Amino acid sequence: MSKVWSDRFDTSLNPFIEEFNASINFDKKLILEDIQCSIAHAKMLGKSKVLSSEDSIKIIEGLEIIKDQFLKGTFSPQPPSEDIHYCIEEKLINLIGETGKKLHTGRSRNDQVGTDIRLWLRKKIDKIDVLIVNLQKSLLVHADANLYTLIPGYTHMQRAQPLSLAHHLLAYVEMFQRDRQRLQEVRARVNVCPLGAAALAGTKIKIDRYFTADELGFDSIYKNSIDAVSDRDFCIEFVSASALIMSHLSRISEEIILWVTDEFSYAKLTDRCATGSSLMPQKKNPDIPELIRGKTGRVYGHLQALLTIIKGVPLSYNKDFQEDKEPIFDTVTTISNCLKAMTILIDEGIEFNVDNLTEAVEKDFSNATDVADYLVEKNVPFRKAYQIVGQIVKYCLTKKILFKDLTLEEFQKFHIQFQQDIFENINPVNVVKSRNSIGGTGFDQVKIELNSWKKQLLA
Ligand code: ARG
């Protein structure tokens, strides 16, 4: 196939190099955005009288036909076209003849590809936002049902203080909310139009950049044509925000994997999201959270790839930028699939073992802070109270008992201020209930949290 530039060259491309240079096999994903961008450009050329209105209309109609054919499945972009931009231009010329050759007036593939990828990413960000909200809602349903279910809270993977399970789950809702905010911030920088920057320097053709930006729903336009074709910050920002989403998904995956072990038994996998072993008949494996945890690696990898691709590239457009697409495409696919899978897992893949959870918080010293706080309320300085409770823990450990097994007399040997009500104070339900500082795990606080999320997510 002869190339657009063939007249300037003597021989054809080496076939392997031709394939090596091409991006059509992956950038065909941008077909609808490429057509959308070209329609806006052709419209603007007509309106600005760069093209006659007949030519502009003919081009637009041609592009609409290509779009229809693609949507009906009668046309699909493929080699030997080098990339999606050439592919559509070639197809248009085939379809409408000489007029099609006027489409590329006053633009370059450099500003075109920047526009296409922004249009594509903007759409995907909006879809990912919906997927995150769905996951938040699933977590909220479990949180709402488990306000009074207690779960051991950990620091350093050591039992620390008991928590309301709702509070624990809502921590993830908060994390995913920050992810949504970050994506919105990225979206604002994605939504800037580079079209009209042409190759790098702008154009002498009398184009109207505001018109195309407006047609395509961009908030603003790039002010510097060199920056417009050289900027890939938004790709890095998007993948960086996605890497954090994956880290959050990976952390909740890890917790679920622990919770469903025999050792923890805080939850069990339902048959909807668990898999068996090929060898060990008794096994029920958490493949889904493991896969999500594993897929985190590829998104981190894409972030590293993009940072490295951009780092040494001088201004302005360089072909290195063609390498931006696959990491972005795969990031979108990976986070979308992982968000969907996690939502299904939360919705129908796990059941909490409420009895085991209740029992678990009874069997440890995670109420030790409450024994100390009890003395603090009786005017014992905290550090002193802390030391006394340390001695009580040591005493209990040698006797292989818990605080609740001590007699009042034994308590009083450590401090005279202990009264009968100490036993009420160290009961796990009361321990959780009493943590009523703002944002704490006390039931009243968690109720406020739950209500505020219900208002935000279910309204
Ligand atoms: N396929 C190219 C890309 O993805 C399109 C832009 C090419 N521009 C150029 N001057 N070679 O970046």
Side-chain angles (χ1 to χ4, degrees):
M1 186 185 191
S2 75
K3 298 282 175 194
V4 170
W5 65 79
S6 294
D7 292 337
R8 189 238 176 272
F9 288 71
D10 293 326
T11 64
S12 61
L13 260 181
N14 170 297
F16 179 78
I17 293 300
E18 176 164 13
E19 216 183 303
F20 182 74
N21 188 48
S23 52
I24 186 75
N25 281 329
F26 51 87
D27 68 16
K28 60 186 174 192
K29 257 195 186 358
L30 300 174
I31 181 170
L32 292 175
E33 290 72 23
D34 195 72
I35 293 174
Q36 186 188 4
C37 172
S38 289
I39 290 176
H41 183 67
K43 213 169 177 182
M44 179 279 292
L45 292 177
K47 194 199 142 259
S48 314
K49 308 248 182 301
V50 175
L51 296 187
S52 68
S53 65
E54 297 77 57
D55 282 351
S56 160
I57 289 168
K58 200 166 171 192
I59 291 172
I60 294 168
E61 283 173 357
L63 290 165
E64 295 284 4
I65 292 170
I66 299 173
K67 181 175 156 185
D68 283 351
Q69 288 182 355
F70 168 72
L71 293 174
K72 281 202 208 99
T74 55
F75 162 65
S76 61
Q78 55 192 329
S81 289
E82 179 185 317
D83 60 22
I84 189 63
H85 324 295
Y86 275 147
C87 175
I88 301 300
E89 192 182 339
E90 287 152 4
K91 171 88 181 158
L92 182 72
I93 295 167
N94 263 333
L95 198 70
I96 66 168
E98 285 297 295
T99 312
K101 295 185 179 170
K102 295 184 176 176
L103 170 62
H104 213 55
T105 311
R107 77 169 186 192
S108 150
R109 279 184 303 155
N110 298 351
D111 55 342
Q112 192 181 351
V113 69
T115 309
D116 290 3
I117 192 113
R118 282 172 177 81
L119 289 172
W120 186 87
L121 197 51
R122 187 178 72 188
K123 229 188 285 175
K124 297 298 174 185
I125 288 175
D126 294 342
K127 288 197 172 147
I128 292 165
D129 185 63
V130 174
L131 294 176
I132 301 178
V133 173
N134 289 345
L135 175 54
Q136 286 180 307
K137 285 181 185 167
S138 305
L139 287 163
L140 184 58
V141 169
H142 276 285
D144 201 27
N146 287 291
L147 172 62
Y148 297 106
T149 306
L150 305 189
I151 182 169
Y154 297 80
T155 61
H156 314 272
M157 257 337 257
Q158 301 287 319
R159 293 275 177 104
Q161 293 173 342
L163 300 169
S164 151
L165 177 56
H167 196 51
H168 191 109
L169 296 173
L170 290 177
Y172 284 104
V173 176
E174 295 281 348
M175 286 150 85
F176 290 121
Q177 189 67 8
R178 282 197 298 278
D179 289 328
R180 293 183 62 203
Q181 288 163 355
R182 243 184 307 270
L183 281 179
Q184 288 314 307
E185 288 156 18
V186 176
R187 190 190 191 282
R189 277 183 293 279
V190 167
N191 209 21
V192 181
C193 189
L195 196 61
L200 80 163
T203 172
K204 70 183 286 187
I205 308 289
K206 299 278 175 281
I207 57 167
D208 181 347
R209 290 192 58 202
Y210 288 110
F211 181 88
T212 38
D214 204 49
E215 261 314 278
L216 296 169
F218 285 107
D219 291 332
S220 57
I221 63 171
Y222 273 85
K223 296 198 177 74
N224 179 308
S225 62
I226 308 168
D227 183 41
V229 296
S230 307
D231 176 23
R232 291 294 182 275
D233 293 356
F234 68 98
C235 300
I236 296 174
E237 284 189 70
F238 169 71
V239 179
S240 165
S242 302
L244 269 171
I245 296 174
M246 288 307 300
S247 87
H248 296 155
L249 288 171
S250 189
R251 292 180 78 176
I252 195 169
S253 294
E254 173 66 15
E255 294 217 279
I256 292 170
I257 293 162
L258 288 174
W259 289 343
V260 301
T261 56
D262 286 338
E263 287 72 12
F264 275 79
S265 280
Y266 292 172
K268 56 177 167 291
L269 293 165
T270 71
D271 294 354
R272 298 283 284 169
C273 291
T275 42
S277 153
S278 64
L279 175 76
M280 298 161 282
Q282 86 285 9
K283 293 286 293 286
K284 203 170 188 187
N285 292 330
D287 283 22
I288 305 312
E290 284 168 351
L291 258 181
I292 295 172
R293 191 177 58 184
K295 281 177 190 287
T296 304
R298 58 203 283 160
V299 176
Y300 287 8
H302 294 325
L303 176 59
Q304 192 60 44
L306 283 172
L307 284 165
T308 314
I309 288 164
I310 306 303
K311 106 179 226 303
V313 177
L315 299 181
S316 61
Y317 175 87
N318 291 263
K319 188 80 166 201
D320 313 45
F321 289 176
Q322 185 163 287
E323 287 291 304
D324 64 2
K325 282 164 210 69
E326 287 167 291
I328 291 188
F329 294 160
D330 187 68
T331 296
V332 167
T333 307
T334 305
I335 60 170
S336 304
N337 289 343
C338 289
L339 283 164
K340 276 187 215 164
M342 181 55 76
T343 305
I344 295 171
L345 183 65
I346 300 290
D347 274 347
E348 48 179 300
I350 61 165
E351 278 164 12
F352 286 102
N353 295 334
V354 176
D355 293 344
N356 287 357
L357 284 163
T358 312
E359 227 179 285
V361 293
E362 296 278 355
K363 287 188 192 147
D364 59 27
F365 291 98
S366 63
N367 47 5
T369 316
D370 304 83
V371 182
D373 285 348
Y374 177 91
L375 291 177
V376 167
E377 279 173 343
K378 310 236 165 176
N379 243 344
V380 180
F382 176 76
R383 190 52 68 211
K384 175 102 189 107
Y386 169 95
Q387 284 162 346
I388 291 166
V389 180
Q391 291 159 16
I392 306 177
V393 171
K394 204 162 154 190
Y395 175 81
C396 288
L397 285 173
T398 48
K399 294 196 74 181
K400 293 199 168 67
I401 56 170
L402 296 165
F403 291 139
K404 63 176 178 192
D405 306 318
L406 291 168
T407 62
L408 181 58
E409 291 67 41
E410 282 175 301
F411 265 120
Q412 285 174 338
K413 270 192 220 144
F414 291 94
H415 202 285
I416 194 66
Q417 293 276 31
F418 282 116
Q419 299 300 323
Q420 193 58 37
D421 61 352
I422 181 62
F423 295 102
E424 231 169 88
N425 271 266
I426 58 172
N427 170 297
V429 173
N430 292 332
V431 164
V432 173
K433 190 172 160 195
S434 69
R435 301 239 189 292
N436 209 22
S437 55
I438 295 173
T441 198
F443 303 122
D444 288 347
Q445 288 301 319
V446 182
K447 253 185 239 165
I448 295 170
E449 247 190 302
L450 274 170
N451 286 336
S452 129
W453 282 117
K454 278 187 207 163
K455 232 182 261 161
Q456 282 185 71
L457 297 173
L458 308 178

